[in-house]
Structures are given as structure tokens and as C-alpha cells.
Amino acid sequence: MLDDLDRRLLEILVKDARTSLKELAAQVGLSSPSVSERLRRLEERGVIRAFTVEIDPLALGYTLQAIVRIRPLPGKLHIVQKLIEEIPEFGECDKVTGDDCFVARLFVRSIGDLDGILDRIADKAETSTAIIKAQPIRRRPPPLDATASRGAKILQAS
């Protein structure tokens, strides 16, 4: 599990993955080599998967985002999954339980582009699409504290 120093390092890096080792060390009260070693261990354990950058799709001209629920036709599951993987406008995709097999996020520049992408899978799967109006919660990591999640605590208090 994570100790308090690991949690603090992760909290800082979640806010800014470009924070220097020197600055991290100063914020947590360790030497730079100690912070470097802790980060190496967190990477080895798979806690930190990548130091990455967040790109604004709008800045690249992708004015629309859509959530697409995808239900492959019988015998087409693997074909549909491969097709989703090959279409770069699918920014992420989860394989889920329930009536649909996949829930995916699409980045498109227009409704016409959306239609073109969905047409590519229409003969292999049924789809249900919702255009995203706003994203009140951006992608965030799970709670870093060792105790029950804040959501569970809030529910228990009400």
C-alpha cells in the first residue's frame, strides 16, 4: 500500500506531472535521491503508469465529444473491438457488462464526422450515441487515502 509520503508525492504529481525532483523533495521534506527512489518504486509496482500530458481536443478542432454505447452483432465482438482500436477518434473505450459490450468516447469535428465513424461499424454493431454537453468532473485518479472513499463517508453521514 501507500504510505503518507507516497500519497503526498502522488497528489503533487497529479496536479503537475512536470514538477521537478528538487521541488518534489522540498515539498515532502526528503532529498532528491530519496524522492527519485520512491518514484522508481511506485513505477515498478505499477502505481505510476506514466507521466503524461493532457491535450485539449478543442484546441485541435474537435468541437464535439460523444459517448457511444456499442453492442456488437452475434459473432462480431472481436471484429468490432479491432475496428474501435483502429479508429483514432475513439479516445477511450471500456469493455463493460450489461446489454452493451463497449462504452467509448469519440472526439469529432462535426456531426458529419460522427456519422461517418458510426457508419463504419453499423453493419457490425448496434450503437447508441449521446453528445457530451459538459464534463463537470474531468478524469481524476481514485482516492489516494488509505481509508474508505469520501463518497462512502458522505453517504454514511446522510
Side-chain angles (χ1 to χ4, degrees), residues 1-11 30 38 41-42 45 144-146:
M1 294 272 62
L2 301 175
D3 65 18
D4 290 340
L5 282 172
D6 288 342
R7 273 191 220 78
R8 182 69 186 122
L9 288 169
L10 292 171
E11 287 169 356
L30 293 175
R38 280 181 173 268
R41 284 195 313 251
L42 288 168
R45 291 175 32 213
L144 297 174
D145 60 5

Side-chain angles (χ1 to χ4, degrees), residues 58-77:
L58 193 56
L60 300 177
Y62 293 98
T63 56
L64 296 172
Q65 292 183 45
I67 298 297
V68 184
R69 295 173 33 215
I70 304 164
R71 181 186 308 179
L73 297 175
K76 303 286 186 182
L77 178 73

Side-chain angles (χ1 to χ4, degrees), residues 22-137:
K22 182 179 178 181
E23 191 175 330
L24 281 170
Q27 289 189 43
V28 298
L30 293 175
S31 67
S32 292
S34 294
V35 168
S36 181
E37 178 61 22
R38 280 181 173 268
L39 294 178
R40 185 190 61 73
R41 284 195 313 251
L42 288 168
E43 286 179 274
E44 283 178 356
R45 291 175 32 213
V47 175
I48 295 176
R49 290 192 287 196
F51 294 88
T52 188
V53 51
E54 184 177 339
I55 297 172
D56 182 356
L58 193 56
L60 300 177
Y62 293 98
T63 56
L64 296 172
Q65 292 183 45
I67 298 297
V68 184
R69 295 173 33 215
I70 304 164
R71 181 186 308 179
L73 297 175
K76 303 286 186 182
L77 178 73
H78 297 292
I79 294 168
V80 170
Q81 181 172 334
K82 186 170 178 9
L83 192 54
I84 292 168
E85 291 169 358
E86 292 171 353
I87 297 173
E89 289 86 356
F90 280 107
E92 60 185 295
C93 180
D94 294 309
K95 196 171 192 179
V96 298
T97 61
D99 291 336
D100 304 308
C101 290
F102 302 102
V103 176
R105 178 180 294 263
L106 260 175
F107 298 100
V108 293
R109 292 187 167 103
S110 68
I111 294 294
D113 288 350
L114 175 64
D115 286 340
I117 291 168
L118 295 179
D119 286 347
R120 291 177 61 186
I121 60 174
D123 63 333
K124 299 166 194 66
E126 295 175 3
T127 62
S128 175
T129 304
I131 299 295
I132 297 172
K133 292 177 12 177
Q135 192 175 16
I137 299 175

